[in-house]
Amino acid sequence: MVTSPHALASQVGAQILERGGNAVEAAIATTASLCVTYPHFCGLAGDAFMLISDAQGRVQTLSGIGQSAAVVPAYESSIPLRGPRSALTSAATVDTLAQAHAISRDDLGGTRSWGDLLAPAIALARDGYEVSDSERFWLNFRLPDARALPDIYRHFLHQGQIPPAGFVRRQPDLARTLETLAERGPREFYEGKLAERMGSALQAAGSPLTQHDLALTRARLEQPLSLPYRGGELLAHQPPTQGMTTLEIMGILERFDLQGIAEGSADYYHLLVEAVKQAFMDRNRWVADPEFAMVPVGGLLSTAHLDARARAIRMGAALPWPQTFQTGDTVYVGATDMAGNSVSMLATIYFDWGSGMVVGDTGLIWHNRGASFSLDPTHPNALAPAKRPFHTLNPGMYRKNGKVQLLYGTQGADGQPQTLAAVLTRLIDYGMDPMTALRQPRFLLGKTFSDSQDTLKLESDIPASVVAQLRTRGHAISLIDARNPLMGHPGAIAIDAVSGQMTGAHDPRSDGLAVGLP
């Protein structure tokens, strides 16, 4: 089974599985295809994160984070959110996929060549695909900011207008870049003639990145963080991701008897929101690149600390909430094969449309993750040369009795741990199947792209009586449309521990699809 936010990409991954490929190979082909069909959220010039499990339930992670330039600019009051000067970190997606391909070949018996796995993406870029509703939404949403995104509106409009539904988009420059990578291998992105061209184009545009910065880029193979939950364990990436934050939220929630709290009730939403607040206070203080700052992972996930955070929650009153907001957009890919290997991964260009800069004639939109650095020299996420920025991405797995039983992840930056708290409690505590869990109403605490207030956003299909009760507890609430695309696009695959039967879904707020094979 494969799930992703675009049906064509999911079908590509399913075809790899149908032809005997494994889960890692399916995830690589799916992600490469998303870099074509979901250009507003995902691209080769971004970052990526994978959890890879073999059939015995042994899990390792790949953390693909591009480091900042060796020579960083002297920014004045802030780092630009868009444009070449926001493109100040290298891009690790290609190296993440390359290292995953090596794991597939060396550890999982994979036989598909690198070029074979890129071939579907090349065909989609060259021959075309129908523009998704999501892409059209984000082109329209950003029209007021078109001056800050000149490359995007030059390359992605049709005759000066938002493409109509059914419009077939072709990306010949991106197709040629993919063909180059297929022929010359993934390190061409970092050390070959393609890297030379990208380095020159980045410098000419005004980015601080050089070809030397590209050559230093490597994804990191690491052991996952883990936390007990309801008889199993939740697995996530190490810092500087906020995987620790999702684990902390769930660790707080395990200290409450959710079986005694009705799903969808005021108590349910209040408890999840308050657990998020407790964990976010730790995240905003501590999470950064552990090579540059001390991140007390063990202490923050300790029994004593989680107990204290849980005791701080008052079921009758909301904690006031003005905290730093992180934005971002991403794609989730989950894949599992007949042998029992699994992948849970996210790929990102940070903001929708990333930095907004298309690099020369490569067709690549460079990401802007470096804009998340702080210019406060005392902050743990302070900008420094060759440093990895704080990352909101945190795909996950749930393992029980040595077997992976859930793959999950979501788009949504600050919303990621919040969405996962809702999805995981509905899957694990309330026993919902993936589609039922994903279609339920959700919340989002803090600012969004369209609302600068630090309110609790609730989808409008949450009952009015629940909303009223939450208001009486002190939550400042803003209602937004039901199934709102701002609420994230999670995907999930559940694997039955006895039969091995798989049930998967992608969020109905996306263009996604889970594709399973008999």
Side-chain angles (χ1 to χ4, degrees), residues 54-71:
D54 64 14
Q56 287 71 48
R58 293 177 297 227
V59 178
Q60 51 192 332
T61 74
L62 281 167
S63 185
I65 305 176
Q67 80 287 354
S68 59
V71 179

Side-chain angles (χ1 to χ4, degrees), residues 8 24 44 58 90 129 185 194 231 326 346 406 439 449 480:
L8 285 177
V24 175
L44 298 175
R58 293 177 297 227
S90 185
Y129 57 92
L194 175 60
Q326 299 279 342
L346 286 165
L406 284 174
R439 68 158 58 104
F449 289 121
I480 63 175

Side-chain angles (χ1 to χ4, degrees), residues 251-294:
I252 293 168
L253 292 175
E254 197 188 28
R255 280 137 176 86
F256 293 83
D257 179 16
L258 290 185
Q259 292 300 308
I261 296 175
E263 187 279 325
S265 65
D267 280 349
Y268 172 76
Y269 286 113
H270 177 81
L271 177 58
L272 266 62
V273 170
E274 295 305 298
V276 166
K277 291 175 181 177
Q278 293 293 325
F280 271 26
M281 286 188 286
D282 287 331
R283 184 200 71 169
N284 294 346
R285 179 180 178 187
W286 293 110
V287 179
D289 186 342
E291 293 185 359
F292 289 76
M294 193 276 289

Side-chain angles (χ1 to χ4, degrees), residues 19 25 37 48 68 162 178 194 202 213 280 396 418 459 517:
R19 295 168 187 165
E25 293 168 330
T37 59
S68 59
I162 305 296
L178 284 161
L194 175 60
L202 286 162
D213 295 317
F280 271 26
Q418 304 184 53
E459 290 187 295
L517 301 174

